[in-house]
């Protein structure tokens, strides 16, 4: 079911730029922001802006404190998600030259599908890896087929602890 949903979702994004590393398109960010300031929305503009500034100060502080507890190169929730996706991969690998392979699987209805994975370019023909910056299950299958490869080496820098730290290193000064 998850794979079906993921494929439908990627079809919606198939012509999107690969620069933005996101696997969903939604307006939830606006809804989240509105929910975040729901108690302040009725205030006049100056007090509203001041309260938003304070909320941002608080959020940045929480995130800066959080990053000090993080271990590893990749954000912990990403590592956890990838480890869950690695379990029970049941694909057939047809290795080609230069870290390129064809990954194949038959569905329950005996329909066979194949995807080409290029580890050096960090690409899969399903395009999930390029769009999200996270190795798709096809790539994970090939990556984990060798003991010398580390999954973290194939995750886009967007999901790094360093990038998270940089996002929250700026401060909003108290007034």
């Amino acid at each position: 079911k998850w794979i079906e949903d993921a494929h439908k979702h990627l079809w919606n994004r198939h012509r999107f730029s690969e620069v933005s590393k996101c696997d969903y398109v939604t307006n939830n960010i606006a809804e989240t922001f509105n929910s975040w300031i729901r108690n302040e929305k009725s205030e006049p503009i100056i007090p509203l802006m001041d309260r938003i500034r304070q909320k941002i100060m608080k959020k940045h502080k929480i995130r800066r404190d959080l990053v000090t507890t993080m271990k590893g190169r990749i954000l912990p929730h990403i590592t956890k998600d990838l480890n869950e996706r690695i379990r029970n991969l049941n694909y057939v690998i047809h290795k080609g030259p230069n870290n390129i392979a064809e990954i194949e699987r038959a569905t329950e209805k005996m329909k066979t599908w194949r995807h080409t994975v290029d580890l050096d370019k960090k690409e899969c023909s399903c395009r999930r890896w390029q769009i999200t910056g996270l190795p798709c299950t096809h790539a994970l299958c090939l990556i984990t087929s060798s003991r010398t490869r580390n999954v973290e080496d194939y995750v886009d820098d967007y999901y790094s602890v360093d990038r998270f730290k940089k996002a929250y290193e700026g401060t909003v000064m108290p007034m």
Side-chain angles (χ1 to χ4, degrees), residues 64-104:
R64 281 192 303 273
D65 290 347
L66 176 64
V67 80
T68 63
T69 66
M70 291 183 184
K71 307 277 187 262
R73 210 171 74 228
I74 303 300
L75 295 171
H77 73 282
I78 298 298
T79 301
K80 180 183 175 190
D81 179 57
L82 290 172
N83 287 334
E84 286 173 6
R85 289 175 43 211
I86 287 170
R87 289 192 196 111
N88 302 320
L89 292 175
N90 191 18
Y91 301 135
V92 177
I93 303 171
H94 303 282
K95 292 187 178 181
N98 305 323
N99 293 317
I100 298 172
E102 182 179 275
I103 311 300
E104 180 179 28

Side-chain angles (χ1 to χ4, degrees), residues 53 56-57 60-61 64 166-174:
R53 179 190 54 79
I56 292 171
M57 284 175 56
H60 276 231
K61 170 79 169 96
R64 281 192 303 273
K166 284 180 185 172
Y168 294 100
E169 70 184 8
T171 57
V172 177
M173 296 302 291

Side-chain angles (χ1 to χ4, degrees), residues 37 40-41 43-53:
I37 64 165
E40 292 85 5
K41 286 192 327 186
E43 292 185 23
I45 189 74
I46 302 291
L48 172 63
M49 296 305 291
D50 192 45
R51 185 66 184 120
I52 290 171
R53 179 190 54 79

Side-chain angles (χ1 to χ4, degrees), residues 109-134:
K109 296 179 182 176
M110 300 311 291
K111 181 180 176 188
T112 302
W113 56 258
R114 296 178 214 157
H115 286 288
T116 303
V117 174
D118 185 331
L119 293 181
D120 295 337
K121 291 182 179 178
K122 296 182 180 178
E123 292 179 352
C124 179
S125 59
C126 78
R127 290 192 24 87
R128 183 174 184 80
W129 194 1
Q130 296 92 295
I131 290 171
T132 66
L134 298 170

Side-chain angles (χ1 to χ4, degrees), residues 156-169:
D156 191 272
D157 186 49
Y158 175 83
Y159 300 100
S160 70
V161 171
D162 284 341
R163 183 72 67 97
F164 185 87
K165 188 183 291 186
K166 284 180 185 172
Y168 294 100
E169 70 184 8

Side-chain angles (χ1 to χ4, degrees), residues 23-60:
D23 62 348
Y24 60 92
V25 180
T26 180
N27 68 346
N28 285 353
I29 193 161
E31 292 170 15
T32 301
F33 180 76
N34 283 330
S35 173
W36 193 50
I37 64 165
R38 73 178 167 273
N39 297 329
E40 292 85 5
K41 286 192 327 186
S42 62
E43 292 185 23
I45 189 74
I46 302 291
L48 172 63
M49 296 305 291
D50 192 45
R51 185 66 184 120
I52 290 171
R53 179 190 54 79
Q54 291 171 337
K55 288 171 92 58
I56 292 171
M57 284 175 56
K58 182 179 179 181
K59 179 66 80 179
H60 276 231

